[in-house]
Amino acid sequence: MTTTTVPAVEKSLLGITGARGLETGRDRLAAMTPQCGFGELGTCCRTCYLGPCRIDPFGDGPQKGVCGLSADTMVARNLLREAVGGAASHVGHARHLLLLLRDALDDGAPYPIRGPERAFALGKLFGVPTEGRSAKEVCRALVDVALQDFGRQDGKPNNWLSRRAPAREREAWRAAGLDYSNPHNEIETAMHASSMGNDADPVTLLMRVLKIGLVDGWSGLALCTDVQDILFGTPQVTPVEASPGVLEERSVNLAVHGHNPVLSEKILEWAGKLEKEAAAVGAERINVVGVCCTGNELTMRHGVPLAAHNTQAELILATGAVDGMVVDIQCIWPALPQMAACFDTAFITTDEMVHIPGARHVPFEPARADESASGMVRAAIEAFAKRKGKRVDIPKVKTRAVAGLSVEAIVGILSKVNAEDPLKPVVDAVAGGSILGFAGIVGCSNLKFRDGAMTEALVKELLANDVLVVTTGCTAHVCAQDGLLTPEATGRYCGPGLKAVLGALGQAAGLGGPLPPVWHMGSCVDNSRIVDLLAAVAGRLGVKISQLPAAGSAPELVQEKAISIGSFFLALGAMVHVAPAPRVLGSPLVTKVLTQDLPGITGGKVFVEYDPKKAAAGMIAHIREKRAGLGI
Ligand code: BF8
């Protein structure tokens, strides 16, 4: 790492935990360092009880597991299991949403259809009759199409992949044997193949990683986004506030954390309905704030403030000002209820998969959503009543951001510039070189890189080189906290070409200023929106996604879900920069396949670099190479 800039927000939060003597993830990381080298390299195998076996990459000691397994197979097998962990999370999230939509259509859960236009658009895409039918009728048909994929045993192509994926890529995946049928079967097969005594060929194991990437992408990410847009509406551009300074001393602060808006949407609704009860205990209002991806979902659709990304979830509890933290699924640290216990905070787990010692567990059943959500809001009000008058340490840092840039919102803005051909102004700017290319900077915030402001430094370097950035997930929080999601950032950070284009587009669209240089496209499942945007641009140019002057990055990898999302983008043909290194470096063969051979298979390529300037340089070189390939 070359930078040592600690972001202002982290600094102020760490000042609070330091002053209060509270343990944080940084303390636990320091106690854990140095971490296991075998684990980092991927050369530790725990899939059977002849082991655990480990292989020293420097050639000292045994070079095979007890069963004869090579380091290459060990690494490929471990990578596949990580990808499966990620895909299971996203596919499980999607299936849950589908079942909720089905129940809601039969009045079995109190959720109206707030995105009928999305239902009709998908209905047309899936060949479902829409003429003269209600949104509910179209949704019923769509639910049947989607659920067919989860039950099918006929080996026929997966509906969501077949209809949602761009045609050129679909054909390439079919030819490479990467298309799939039932997502659950693929997850099962991958776990089966990677268990002891099955697939020992690192190359076929790696092909399975790509296939799991597609399962993640189409039956996880895309399906989640589609159903969430049907249920809760397609995001539109909205100004928001960000950073822990959005907490309010005199209000009931209720943080929602996790990924599934089925819970957080209801919490928001009930927060609005219970304002009088909050006032009765002396609160100015109920202030719902967002953490991690469910925060992004509420921000994109309702302008709810973004309070914290993943590594800050425990830090905002240390302010003493969070009265309730209600969590659903994924990325919930077990440390959170421990921190909450130091204060009056009501920390509530809600999902049957997420029980955490020290938390209050209140099962959230969609059929009784109103009763459950109102109870959780009341728990936060009660906690406020206990907390009132006690010391709180809310950092003064509050930033502004523009959120809600779904593909539909982007096309809406660009339509004001060119109604006939909305993508033309952007495509022309790329062809003319004012926009050098596109970068998707996505994924997590990692303690190992926060003190170096890895994400912020990478984004700024790309902007200075006229690369337009889109973002999702915790990276979107990081960008919001650094002021990168504002029109002002365009003038401050962009190169002359990008600055001029964003200024002209903003004026032409009647925004009274430039478009922001980093576009907040949503939560991690909304990486599907990035794919839709790339597919639209590629389709407009008549090329494959792998030919676009574009690159992706997960600059602060944490979760298995980032591995499965990265695998999806590799299957799509994208360059994927990542730091820290995926656990593959213990295998020269796997490393070579991912960095050198993959471009000849899907066009994708893994690029590992810990220095943000060098990472940007590598991504820019890739973008230039792609430009040259297109003759621009
Ligand atoms: O799904 S970015 S730390 S919160 S995994 Fe988790 Fe990573 Fe945050 Fe959202 Ni995505």
Side-chain angles (χ1 to χ4, degrees):
M1 250 178 290
T2 53
T3 65
T4 51
T5 336
V6 181
V9 174
E10 320 279 326
K11 223 184 254 174
S12 52
L13 287 168
L14 291 172
I16 296 165
T17 53
R20 289 188 187 254
L22 296 167
E23 179 195 274
T24 72
R26 279 172 177 75
D27 303 314
R28 295 186 291 273
L29 176 62
M32 193 64 68
T33 304
Q35 290 177 306
C36 174
F38 295 100
E40 280 180 345
L41 296 171
T43 51
C44 173
C45 181
R46 295 172 61 250
T47 48
C48 87
Y49 278 74
L50 292 171
C53 296
R54 49 192 210 175
I55 294 175
D56 184 332
F58 303 111
D60 296 333
Q63 291 301 295
K64 286 179 191 163
V66 176
C67 70
L69 192 72
S70 69
D72 293 329
T73 304
M74 212 178 257
V75 163
R77 191 188 262 187
N78 288 341
L79 184 68
L80 178 58
R81 288 190 160 214
E82 283 183 12
V84 166
S89 301
H90 289 139
V91 172
H93 179 170
R95 186 176 61 84
H96 177 269
L97 286 163
L98 267 181
L99 297 180
L100 174 91
L101 175 57
R102 186 188 63 182
D103 290 350
L105 294 171
D106 295 335
D107 298 325
Y111 290 87
I113 304 299
R114 294 218 183 91
E117 66 294 332
R118 184 73 163 151
F120 283 107
L122 285 165
K124 291 203 178 88
L125 187 65
F126 280 86
V128 164
T130 52
E131 213 54 42
R133 295 180 101 188
S134 70
K136 273 193 166 187
E137 286 168 326
V138 173
C139 286
R140 269 203 187 91
L142 283 169
V143 167
D144 287 344
V145 172
L147 285 179
Q148 190 184 34
D149 282 340
F150 286 90
R152 64 164 68 252
Q153 298 298 331
D154 55 11
K156 290 197 175 144
N158 180 275
N159 290 331
W160 232 254
L161 175 138
S162 306
R163 298 288 180 145
R164 286 283 274 106
R168 289 180 180 85
E169 281 71 16
R170 218 164 54 218
E171 183 48 39
W173 296 328
R174 200 193 51 74
L178 290 175
D179 51 358
Y180 67 92
S181 180
N182 177 331
H184 282 176
N185 287 7
E186 292 304 337
I187 286 170
E188 175 207 280
T189 304
M191 285 303 281
H192 189 168
S194 59
S195 66
M196 196 267 195
N198 289 300
D199 200 347
D201 181 338
V203 175
T204 52
L205 285 163
L206 288 175
M207 292 304 279
R208 290 183 200 283
V209 172
L210 292 176
K211 194 187 263 204
I212 286 295
L214 292 178
V215 168
D216 187 88
W218 300 113
S219 296
L221 311 182
L223 190 50
C224 281
T225 301
D226 293 343
V227 180
Q228 286 174 177
D229 280 0
I230 288 173
L231 277 166
F232 306 117
T234 299
Q236 293 300 325
V237 175
T238 174
V240 299
E241 288 186 325
S243 306
V246 299
L247 296 170
E248 298 169 359
E249 181 173 358
R250 285 187 284 278
S251 297
V252 175
N253 293 303
L254 177 46
V256 286
H257 176 9
H259 288 78
N260 192 342
V262 169
L263 171 67
S264 51
E265 287 269 348
K266 271 290 166 196
I267 295 283
L268 185 64
E269 183 184 327
W270 275 95
K273 288 179 180 170
L274 296 178
E275 285 289 2
K276 279 196 185 138
E277 291 188 24
V281 297
E284 280 182 0
R285 66 185 197 105
I286 302 176
N287 179 33
V288 176
V289 299
V291 178
C292 289
C293 282
T294 209
N296 282 322
E297 299 286 357
L298 289 191
T299 290
M300 293 278 283
R301 295 194 178 88
H302 303 285
V304 164
L306 291 170
H309 53 71
N310 195 248
T311 58
Q312 296 169 340
E314 66 174 346
L315 303 181
I316 59 162
L317 291 175
T319 62
V322 179
D323 301 300
M325 183 176 272
V326 177
V327 305
D328 52 81
I329 49 168
Q330 303 169 15
C331 305
I332 319 291
W333 290 15
L336 298 180
Q338 296 163 26
M339 183 67 94
C342 302
F343 304 92
D344 298 305
T345 313
F347 186 90
I348 302 173
T349 52
T350 59
D351 193 281
E352 47 122 359
M353 286 187 300
V354 186
H355 289 267
I356 306 178
R360 191 183 311 177
H361 190 75
V362 181
F364 179 75
E365 294 156 22
R368 296 171 49 245
D370 291 308
E371 196 183 327
S372 313
S374 57
M376 293 172 199
V377 177
R378 288 195 171 104
I381 295 172
E382 276 169 34
F384 171 85
K386 283 191 230 156
R387 186 260 291 178
K388 203 172 51 170
K390 292 185 189 165
R391 172 185 150 199
V392 295
D393 293 303
I394 300 173
K396 295 275 178 282
V397 196
K398 185 151 62 165
T399 50
R400 289 182 307 107
V402 175
L405 282 126
S406 59
V407 176
E408 292 77 357
I410 293 168
V411 169
I413 292 171
L414 297 178
S415 297
K416 291 184 189 153
V417 185
N418 188 330
E420 301 281 292
D421 187 358
L423 290 177
K424 188 170 187 300
V426 171
V427 168
D428 286 350
V430 174
S434 311
I435 297 178
L436 189 71
F438 308 100
I441 311 295
V442 304
C444 321
S445 54
N446 189 323
L447 286 178
K448 297 174 181 175
F449 294 97
R450 276 299 64 229
D451 291 353
M454 171 79 170
T455 296
E456 298 90 321
L458 172 63
V459 168
K460 285 171 192 167
E461 192 66 21
L462 291 167
L463 297 180
N465 284 277
D466 293 325
V467 177
L468 179 62
V469 173
V470 296
T471 188
T472 56
C474 285
T475 301
H477 283 262
V478 171
C479 290
Q481 292 186 1
D482 202 36
L484 291 163
L485 307 182
T486 59
E488 293 76 33
T490 300
R492 195 169 306 144
Y493 299 114
C494 294
L498 186 58
K499 195 187 297 182
V501 174
L502 294 173
L505 287 177
Q507 288 298 344
L511 303 179
L515 288 175
V518 182
W519 294 356
H520 184 335
M521 296 191 74
S523 64
C524 282
V525 298
D526 291 333
N527 282 314
S528 64
R529 299 191 200 276
I530 297 181
V531 174
D532 288 342
L533 187 62
L534 290 172
V537 175
R540 170 71 177 65
L541 293 170
V543 300
K544 288 173 76 174
I545 287 175
S546 62
Q547 293 172 269
L548 292 177
S553 170
E556 302 191 31
L557 163 70
V558 172
Q559 248 268 13
E560 287 175 333
K561 290 181 289 171
I563 295 289
S564 55
I565 294 171
S567 306
F568 178 38
F569 278 83
L570 291 175
L572 282 160
M575 171 205 247
V576 178
H577 161 257
V578 64
R583 294 172 185 142
V584 300
L585 297 179
S587 164
L589 181 110
V590 171
T591 304
K592 177 174 167 293
V593 170
L594 294 178
T595 55
Q596 294 172 35
D597 300 345
L598 198 53
I601 303 171
T602 65
K605 171 158 82 172
V606 176
F607 167 46
V608 174
E609 176 54 64
Y610 288 36
D611 181 295
K613 282 203 175 218
K614 288 184 190 162
M619 292 169 73
I620 289 164
H622 178 80
I623 286 170
R624 288 193 190 284
E625 198 182 296
K626 295 295 168 182
R627 290 184 66 91
L630 291 174
I632 56 177

